Amino acid sequence: MSCRQVVKRASYKSKIKDPGTPGVLTMTENKFVFRPNDPSSAAKFDVEFKHITGHKNTKEGTDKPPWLNLSDKDRCYIFEFGSFHDLHVCRDFVGNALAKSGEAAKASSAAKTTSEKSGVTLPDEQLSTAEMQLRMKLLQEDSELQKLHMQFVISGVLTESEFWATRKKLLDGDSRTKSKQRVGFRSSMILDTKPMTDGRMNKVTFNLTPEIKYQIFALKPAVHQAFLTLVPSKMTEKDFWTKYFRAEYLHSTRNAVAAAAEAAEDEELAIFLKEDAILASEARRKIRRVDPTLDMEADQGDDYTHLPDHGIFRDGSKDVMELQNELYRRTLSQDLNRQGAVVLQGRTVDVDLEDPRTVAEALMQSRRESDESAEQDRLDRITRMTEIEDLQEHHDHPVAQLCIKDPRDYFDTQQVNALKTLDDSRTGTEQKKCSLTTEEAYGSLREAISKIKSIGLKNSTVAPEIAITVLNGLTQNISSTKYQLGKNPQDSVLDSLPNKTKEELLHHWMSIQELLRHFWSSYPITTTYLSTKVGRLKDAMSQIYRQLEEIKQSDFRHQVSLLVRPMHQALDAAFQHFDADLQKRAARSGGETPNGNS
Amino acid sequence: MASAPSKLYADDVSLLMVLLDTNPFFWSSSSLPFSVFLSHVLTFLNSILLLNQLNQVVVIATGYNSCSYIYDSSTSTNQGSDNGRMPARCVNLLQKLEEFVIKDEQLIKEGLREGIASSLLSGSLSMALCYIQRVFRSGPLHPQPRILCLQGSSDGPEQYVAIMNAIFSAQRSMIRIDSCYMGSSNSAFLQQASYITGGVYLKPQQPNGLFQYLSTVFATDLHSRAFLQLPKSLGVDFRASCFCHKKTIDLGYICSVCLSIFCKHHKKCSTCGSVFGQAQSDVNSTSNKKRKTPET
């Protein structure tokens, strides 16, 4: 927003068909004013942007004239401009103004859901457009969230900021995912950029962009090094690149003899033509670092380059070389490997690519850092490889993590206890009374053992009638509903309910969670703001409490009450705390109740 | 150990550790005679060994004064006096059991303790866990171990800490403890053991149908259990024993440092030595009490 005010000549129409009243439209930060040329015309007005809920405009290139349509709740203002340029200026200004007045931005991007919410937002909330849009997006993506938002924020139970305060993570998390994706190197070989020849003249053109320069630096440490030393002290950047591409050209002709001859004449050119010394030393170091378990010879046998015409147009096997020119030879596999390594490494510097000098320096820096981490890596690997087997503990033996069980499990297992303790107390005592002496007891035990020794195992251990009662008993036990309700996560009680009830319950549960979260986080109550907030929350909760009671009256009373009970319990606990806290505060302040409803 | 690595242990091969309660005071007063109980158990063990050729059964006797391994299917040979009435392995088992009972009786002469007639469950649980650990360390391939407690005598609260430690180490090593309780009331220890380790706790309603219970509920290997509906434990008794008097309590004091449980307020924790501050008022001290089971 560079300008605080826009003044344009436009004509106002109340309807599209309206011929229009010519006049001057003045837009300021929070309102727009239209003054007709004819002072007697009734079509003059002064509207604040915060009433505006939407803006539309005609597109350039259509047969429509440049119109801007601003609409509020009950009418719309159509302005016809002299040109599309005027329209665009005004449109941008309106867009900014709407965004700035906060709730209007919401209305424009999700007019259908939030058009009535504008009154709720606190005027002192200063939110950036981006944040507003993020919230809108979150609401749009998550219909449940939207429902909650509608229910509580619009009905005034919670304020906008209170609602979002518990969802900071959501807001943060989203902005993180929005961060732009890091672009890596293209995997096509930059060294294969084929020179363009125009066919008529003996001129070869190479394309060079900052991106390509960066890639060249990354791929060829020697060129990188040379650039740092030569430019700009010895030669200009342009000369440097010309020389580089000359060397590239010589390579592409695969004329090693010519390359050798040229290199002998020009020592700077030789840098580019010779084997990259830095790369070579790095390769040697890498070979030293290779995982000892890797069979490099076997790997070598696996490569495809001996196959004719396999891969790229620069085929290493065709490079027939004399030995003395070995120095100036580059093989395909070397190039390919280097390219792969650099692509995998990804971008290590994050600077503006326009200035090759800064790129070169940043790259140098990052290379140094990665060397250090590589050294640490190597040490780590060595320690891992040299583990002594005897001293290792068993990796294979599985160990369960200590965990706190699902609390529901605990209460499920407890529900029978209430009945059982009665039985236990009655039957438990009779068995402990043991009239026999130790000798007699052991004697009878030995007797039993010798008895079975003499009799042996009978043909039928269990009588058929007893077996069937056992089986029936077990089956009944397992299939009784007491075991089933809410036990199996696959088919919960909730699924047995009709969809409408199910959704209703789920929604209530969500609402209760939301309210309770706000409720408990408001304690201890230190300000009057908090106490009014708690009052509001309590009212909303008791409303839901009543609604839950109503649901309980439905056909599926038994199942529903199972689900509703924990909700009621949670609400009861909150109410109880509310009352207790209210009394405590009333007592402390000498009978003066802050809320009036003790 | 015979579990040679050449054996192919599939996921349905079991190592069943059976803890056999041989408490003479329980069996002399039980409605199910020990001989009938033994015949059911022996039949059950035979069927386990027949279910899979690689299945292994180890029986540990839980006595009144001691515990002992009385049978290991991997070491015992099937040779012996097969008298036609029962397989040789049963004869061997009974022989060892008789020897164990005699030895157990001799031990009682020294320290005469009347009153609580509980067996040394903690001892036999520990022995079973040790055996399983040995199997675990024998190699990457081993049968799936589980423990089956055939218990009749009531819980001994004085063993609370030892038993809970055994239960937790079983849980940590993912060993399930199944329990079949023959006594009249429920065993809180075994309920907790099965609940914590994910095993099955069962109290047969028809004691003379024991074999039917055993073969229906406890015979399946751990892998097949995933496909079966087995009885779930309801009404687990989570009451703990206090560390000071070994009484079972449902309300008590817990050391805030080491979580030891006491029935009375102590100035100093007897387990870890932490000194407790004086409770501020009576109201506060009652709120420190934690209820373990809901009131009836």
Side-chain angles (χ1 to χ4, degrees), chain A residues 433-465:
Chain A
K433 294 273 183 292
C434 182
S435 52
L436 296 170
T437 63
T438 323
E439 286 81 22
E440 282 171 330
Y442 275 102
S444 71
L445 201 64
R446 280 203 306 274
E447 214 171 276
I449 295 170
S450 48
K451 189 177 164 197
I452 187 172
K453 259 185 173 174
S454 60
I455 297 172
L457 296 177
K458 278 183 284 179
N459 250 347
S460 65
T461 319
V462 182
E465 307 83 57

Side-chain angles (χ1 to χ4, degrees), chain A residues 348-389:
Chain A
T348 47
V349 297
D350 202 11
V351 291
D352 188 20
L353 294 180
E354 279 308 317
D355 182 15
R357 180 92 202 162
T358 51
V359 172
E361 272 158 7
L363 198 61
M364 201 45 130
Q365 186 66 32
S366 76
R367 210 167 263 162
R368 225 169 279 140
E369 280 162 18
S370 69
D371 271 3
E372 280 160 24
S373 66
E375 184 63 22
Q376 187 57 42
D377 256 19
R378 198 172 78 92
L379 287 175
D380 283 352
R381 196 178 295 126
I382 286 173
T383 50
R384 233 181 307 131
M385 298 315 292
T386 51
E387 259 181 328
I388 300 165
E389 239 169 68

Side-chain angles (χ1 to χ4, degrees), chain B residues 178-239:
Chain B
D178 298 325
S179 35
C180 182
Y181 188 67
M182 314 294 298
S184 49
S185 57
N186 276 305
S187 159
F189 288 168
L190 291 180
Q191 277 184 330
Q192 293 190 40
S194 299
Y195 175 78
I196 291 170
T197 58
V200 180
Y201 173 85
L202 186 77
K203 184 176 166 329
Q205 302 298 315
Q206 304 268 343
N208 43 6
L210 177 67
F211 173 72
Q212 190 62 47
Y213 283 106
L214 290 175
S215 54
T216 316
V217 179
F218 299 111
T220 44
D221 58 272
L222 293 175
H223 182 71
S224 313
R225 277 190 192 188
F227 313 105
L228 291 177
Q229 279 258 1
L230 291 174
K232 285 174 193 136
S233 41
L234 282 180
V236 177
D237 186 354
F238 283 112
R239 280 179 303 172

Side-chain angles (χ1 to χ4, degrees), chain A residues 388-411:
Chain A
I388 300 165
E389 239 169 68
D390 293 348
L391 297 180
Q392 279 177 37
E393 57 175 356
H394 279 280
H395 289 303
D396 50 358
H397 180 212
V399 170
Q401 291 297 309
L402 282 178
C403 69
I404 293 175
K405 282 205 164 193
D406 185 0
R408 198 179 61 173
D409 250 20
Y410 174 78
F411 289 109

Side-chain angles (χ1 to χ4, degrees), chain B residues 66-124:
Chain B
S66 59
C67 307
S68 173
Y69 294 103
I70 54 170
Y71 178 71
D72 185 342
S73 67
S74 67
T75 53
S76 71
T77 51
N78 261 352
Q79 293 151 9
S81 51
D82 191 347
N83 53 11
R85 285 191 295 269
M86 62 174 86
R89 66 166 73 96
C90 297
V91 177
N92 290 343
L93 195 154
L94 288 173
Q95 186 62 41
K96 290 288 274 296
L97 182 63
E98 200 163 14
E99 287 163 18
F100 168 77
V101 169
I102 292 168
K103 217 185 267 174
D104 198 42
E105 189 180 0
Q106 283 163 357
L107 284 168
I108 205 172
K109 300 271 159 52
E110 292 142 27
L112 208 68
R113 235 175 42 193
E114 292 294 326
I116 313 156
S118 58
S119 309
L120 271 178
L121 178 62
S122 57
S124 59

